[in-house]
């Protein structure tokens, strides 16, 4: 005997309608509280005032030491970790600052509220969907440009090569720190391979705990580092490099924990220095056979 199912019987119509009602609602059809979305994440956009290159702005949430970087469009997302991963997060209550950091730009902040381990959408600088109400804009405070003379050399060259870094404040003077500086020179440089991203270090005598502090104004200042390829700590393979000067810009308004979260060590030059977000120009150098 063949069985026939009639999906158009009144009972089936009633059940289908009830199913559609459930999947189409964001609140309970029986008068219960609104079905809450996940309030453990926030999103937004940040940009730099003078360029369309928005990738790499460091976004850091105080209190939880949570950080991320913006994508090529300036977008970011921060998610609170689960209680098992960060004990105590579910009992957080208060207003916290969200920092937007690039070393040679003025640091910007936004305010977010957290209660019982969840962001409060619609409060402080968040809209009711967990997005920043408006994009954050960072304003440049210092121009940094490096040139290498000559721009290329053979790997076994004994000739001196000059790395000259020019600094110029955009408006107000900026305090710049050069660790391990000797005789007014830059205390160290980093070579980042443009082919492999590997980093090579070159520094003055790291045993000398010297630092030069300089107030840089709107009149350009230059500092240099001199090396020869045959006397580097590690020989550079043939290839193209970005030469990066080792210096820090003083930001009294930035929590020390933010800098530490980047893995940067003020006391010792290392590859982690490149975790510090900068907007630099120039510094290109090539090693040939």
């Amino acid at each position: 005997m063949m069985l026939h199912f009639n999906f158009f019987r009144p009972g089936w119509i009633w059940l289908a309608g009830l199913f559609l009602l459930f999947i189409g609602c964001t609140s309970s059809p029986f008068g219960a509280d609104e079905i809450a979305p996940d309030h453990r994440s926030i999103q937004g956009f940040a940009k730099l005032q003078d360029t369309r290159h928005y990738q790499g702005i460091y976004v850091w949430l105080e209190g939880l030491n949570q950080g991320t970087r913006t994508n090529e469009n300036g977008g970011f997302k921060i998610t609170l970790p689960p209680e098992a991963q960060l004990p105590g997060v579910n009992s957080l209550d208060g207003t916290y600052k969200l920092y937007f950091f690039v070393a040679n730009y003025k640091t910007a902040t936004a305010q977010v509220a957290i209660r019982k381990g969840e962001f409060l959408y619609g409060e402080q600088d968040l809209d009711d969907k967990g997005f920043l109400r408006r994009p954050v804009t960072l304003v440049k405070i210092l121009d940094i440009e490096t040139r290498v003379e000559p721009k290329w050399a053979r790997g076994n060259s004994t000739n001196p090569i000059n790395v000259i870094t020019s600094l110029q404040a955009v408006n107000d003077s900026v305090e710049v720190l050069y660790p391990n500086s000797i005789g007014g020179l830059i205390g160290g440089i980093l070579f980042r391979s443009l082919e492999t991203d590997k980093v090579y270090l070159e520094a003055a005598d790291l045993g000398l705990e010297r630092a030069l502090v300089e107030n840089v104004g709107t009149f350009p200042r230059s500092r240099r580092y001199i090396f020869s390829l045959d006397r580097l700590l590690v020989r550079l393979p043939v290839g193209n490099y970005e030469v990066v000067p080792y210096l820090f810009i003083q930001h009294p308004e930035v929590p020390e924990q933010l800098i530490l979260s980047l893995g940067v060590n003020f006391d010792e030059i290392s590859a982690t220095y490149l975790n510090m977000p900068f907007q630099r120009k120039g510094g290109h150098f090539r090693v040939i056979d």
Side-chain angles (χ1 to χ4, degrees):
M1 179 176 65
M2 184 177 294
L3 298 177
H4 296 275
F5 292 93
N6 185 355
F7 288 97
F8 296 97
R9 290 168 57 187
W12 284 102
I13 294 174
W14 183 86
L15 288 173
L18 185 61
F19 174 75
L20 291 174
L21 178 64
F22 268 99
I23 65 172
C25 285
T26 58
S27 59
S28 169
F30 301 112
D33 293 336
E34 182 175 349
I35 299 173
D38 179 9
H39 282 201
R40 298 185 74 88
S41 296
I42 57 173
Q43 301 181 61
F45 290 90
K47 60 183 180 178
L48 304 178
Q49 183 188 48
D50 61 321
T51 178
R52 292 185 177 274
H53 182 75
Y54 302 153
Q55 188 167 14
I57 299 171
Y58 189 54
V59 186
W60 183 79
L61 178 62
E62 70 170 343
L64 289 176
N65 199 21
Q66 292 288 110
T68 188
R69 295 179 189 263
T70 54
N71 61 25
E72 64 274 11
N73 299 315
F76 73 91
K77 181 178 182 179
I78 285 185
T79 301
L80 297 178
E83 177 74 16
Q85 184 177 331
L86 185 63
V89 66
N90 287 349
S91 59
L92 284 177
D93 283 287
T95 300
Y96 297 85
K97 280 186 178 180
L98 195 61
Y99 286 83
F100 299 84
F101 177 72
V102 174
N104 56 320
Y105 284 72
K106 183 175 177 59
T107 303
T109 61
Q111 300 272 2
V112 298
I114 300 176
R115 182 180 300 159
K116 295 182 179 179
E118 290 190 342
F119 292 105
L120 297 183
Y121 292 179
E123 296 194 15
Q124 299 295 329
D125 292 324
L126 295 178
D127 67 16
D128 57 4
K129 294 183 179 179
F131 280 80
L132 289 183
R133 298 183 191 276
R134 59 188 63 84
V136 173
T137 301
L138 279 67
V139 178
K140 181 182 281 188
I141 59 173
L142 187 70
D143 281 312
I144 305 173
E145 185 167 4
T146 298
R147 67 182 189 274
V148 184
E149 299 177 350
K151 294 182 179 180
W152 61 270
R154 297 190 181 278
N156 59 355
S157 173
T158 60
N159 295 326
I161 298 170
N162 280 273
V163 178
I164 305 162
T165 296
S166 298
L167 307 175
Q168 183 176 10
V170 177
N171 289 306
D172 298 330
S173 63
V174 177
E175 194 170 82
V176 179
L177 174 69
Y178 304 91
N180 301 306
S181 176
I182 299 176
L185 299 175
I186 295 173
I189 53 176
L190 300 91
F191 298 88
R192 183 180 69 85
S193 169
L194 299 182
E195 286 86 16
T196 67
D197 220 32
K198 187 173 181 179
V199 178
Y200 302 85
L201 309 176
E202 172 63 15
D205 188 347
L206 294 178
L208 297 176
E209 296 181 358
R210 300 180 181 179
L212 171 67
V213 179
E214 180 179 43
N215 280 313
V216 178
T218 54
F219 185 81
R221 298 282 186 90
S222 294
R223 295 286 171 183
R224 68 179 61 217
Y225 190 95
I226 304 172
F227 71 95
S228 61
L229 288 175
D230 67 317
R231 299 177 68 88
L232 290 179
L233 297 174
V234 178
R235 183 169 180 175
L236 293 181
V238 171
N240 295 290
Y241 295 88
E242 177 191 10
V243 182
V244 178
Y246 184 52
L247 57 85
F248 293 93
I249 299 171
Q250 303 284 55
H251 285 275
E253 77 284 2
V254 173
E256 182 181 1
Q257 195 63 33
L258 183 154
I259 303 299
L260 293 176
S261 72
L262 291 166
V264 177
N265 185 350
F266 285 97
D267 300 323
E268 181 180 4
I269 186 171
S270 70
T272 60
Y273 174 77
L274 295 183
N275 293 341
M276 181 85 71
F278 272 94
Q279 283 289 318
R280 291 176 287 253
K281 298 177 183 177
H284 300 297
F285 180 65
R286 185 178 182 185
V287 178
I288 64 173
D289 281 328

